[in-house]
Amino acid sequence: MVIVAFAIIRMKDLFAVVMLLGIYGLISASFFIVMDAVDVAFTEAAVGAGISTLLMLVVIAMTGRKEKANRHKPFSALFIVLVTGGLLIYGTLDMPHIGAVDAPIHKHVAPRYINDSMAEIGVPNIVTSVLASYRAFDTFGEVVVIFTAGIGVLTLLSVARRKESEEEISSINDSMHEQHLVIRIVAKMLIPFIFLFALYVQFHGDFGPGGGFQAGVIFAAATILYAMLFGLSTARKVINQTFIQLIAAIGVLLYGSVGIVSLMSGGNFFDYNVLASDPIAGQHLGILLIEWGVGCTVASVMIIIFFNFAGRQELHQQKERVQNQEPS
């Protein structure tokens, strides 16, 4: 990881930097697997090496592949990074050793989660029990933050697109089809399975690594892959942007509604026990609903961010095409 980090610093080719960042994310995921943090590794692989790489490739398409030299002096920034890194390393000196039985985390709430979560929640995956039930209010805040970020991007980058003729869009898609025929055929074969895997991760998070966050990112990555290979104009015919924005809001609303229903049923906020006659069945129902809300919001926000970033580049390219086609 250190070698890759230094290579990223030295690289001037931004495309190579993005690829190295993806490799860094995969190495980080492998590190988390070694630490037995499989859920964290899953998230790092999906977000750090997956969706982030795709979004940065879109940014490179808008800004350029090569870094311009002599635009800034990195010494002050390097000094700040070194000081911050030194302070962080100094702060770790008082931390307990990895796996130490006398670590504070093993004496606080961890024994309660490990020993009692199966009887109280009825979910084999303790991480899901903690995030979706014990700390459901914190997770709700994270979902609201993601939704707010999507609204911010939509507000800042949303631009009015000029309607182009169907003939021009068809001709562009035909030329792209001829240039990327093999890639498109392979993508058509893979995308349905990616969507299927996203659904598996969504509904299997109670029993193994996964959940709404990972499933939403995987679903969005498949959609972005389709848009990158077949063009935004074609993707907009398949994916209605207004509907995607509505789904993002519905996901947050669904999550919050579970807490409100819990209150109205006589329990605490996000107390799933009152959602059914059997407390365990109520926990399963509550976790299923809020995870579905998380998946809808995460996937929709990622798609919104991509389409708004890439839409600006597409608008610029379409203007250039029109100018080149106009007779001088």
Side-chain angles (χ1 to χ4, degrees):
M1 293 177 67
V2 174
I3 294 173
V4 174
F6 276 105
I8 291 172
I9 296 174
R10 299 293 300 173
M11 284 288 181
K12 299 298 182 182
D13 189 338
L14 298 182
F15 179 79
V17 169
V18 172
M19 294 297 102
L20 287 176
L21 286 173
I23 294 174
Y24 187 89
L26 292 176
I27 296 175
S28 300
S30 303
F31 172 76
F32 289 129
I33 291 177
V34 173
M35 299 295 294
D36 290 331
V38 183
D39 286 86
V40 182
F42 202 163
T43 305
E44 176 62 31
V47 179
I51 198 75
S52 298
T53 302
L54 294 176
L55 292 178
M56 284 189 286
L57 288 176
V58 175
V59 174
I60 289 178
M62 298 173 59
T63 59
R65 178 169 177 171
K66 295 293 184 179
E67 178 183 350
K68 294 183 179 179
N70 300 325
R71 295 198 61 183
H72 63 280
K73 296 181 179 180
F75 298 105
S76 58
L78 179 61
F79 175 76
I80 295 174
V81 169
L82 291 176
V83 171
T84 305
L87 292 175
L88 291 174
I89 294 175
Y90 176 75
T92 62
L93 298 179
D94 291 334
M95 295 179 61
H97 295 289
I98 297 175
V101 295
D102 57 345
I105 188 174
H106 299 313
K107 295 182 177 181
H108 187 39
V109 294
R112 163 73 185 281
Y113 293 154
I114 295 173
N115 298 324
D116 300 336
S117 65
M118 189 62 189
E120 296 177 348
I121 312 300
V123 173
N125 188 356
I126 300 177
V127 177
T128 300
S129 300
V130 174
L131 296 180
S133 184
Y134 290 116
R135 295 179 59 246
F137 189 76
D138 295 338
T139 306
F140 180 57
E142 296 173 2
V143 176
V144 172
V145 169
I146 294 174
F147 175 74
T148 305
I151 296 299
V153 171
L154 190 63
T155 303
L156 294 174
L157 300 183
S158 182
V159 292
R161 295 187 301 272
R162 181 171 55 186
K163 291 184 178 180
E164 300 293 331
S165 63
E166 294 294 332
E167 292 79 8
E168 181 183 1
I169 295 176
S170 299
S171 62
I172 295 172
N173 290 333
D174 291 341
S175 62
M176 289 182 61
H177 182 76
E178 295 175 358
Q179 296 175 8
H180 309 291
L181 178 60
V182 176
I183 299 177
R184 285 190 168 196
I185 293 175
V186 174
K188 282 185 177 181
M189 297 170 60
L190 290 179
I191 287 176
F193 292 99
I194 297 176
F195 284 138
L196 182 62
F197 181 64
L199 292 175
Y200 171 81
V201 172
Q202 173 74 50
F203 295 106
H204 196 261
D206 297 354
F207 306 96
F213 284 102
Q214 297 90 333
V217 172
I218 295 172
F219 192 92
T223 305
I224 292 173
L225 176 64
Y226 178 85
M228 293 178 68
L229 292 178
F230 294 89
L232 288 180
S233 300
T234 303
R236 288 194 184 99
K237 296 178 181 179
V238 180
I239 306 163
N240 186 282
Q241 293 300 294
T242 303
F243 177 73
I244 292 296
Q245 297 169 19
L246 179 63
I247 290 296
I250 288 176
V252 178
L253 182 63
L254 176 61
Y255 198 134
S257 298
V258 174
I260 295 176
V261 172
S262 301
L263 283 175
M264 296 177 63
S265 300
N268 295 323
F269 198 57
F270 292 124
D271 181 10
Y272 309 142
N273 291 337
V274 298
L275 297 180
S277 57
D278 180 20
I280 298 300
Q283 288 288 336
H284 286 184
L285 177 60
I287 291 175
L288 176 66
L289 292 176
I290 66 106
E291 288 283 8
W292 183 247
V294 170
C296 290
T297 299
V298 171
S300 301
V301 169
M302 293 297 104
I303 294 173
I304 288 171
I305 291 175
F306 169 78
F307 271 85
N308 279 274
F309 267 107
R312 297 176 65 89
Q313 177 68 10
E314 181 198 52
L315 181 64
H316 177 69
Q317 292 175 348
Q318 288 179 350
K319 288 181 179 179
E320 289 184 346
R321 293 190 194 101
V322 173
Q323 292 176 356
N324 294 332
Q325 291 176 358
E326 291 179 353
S328 56

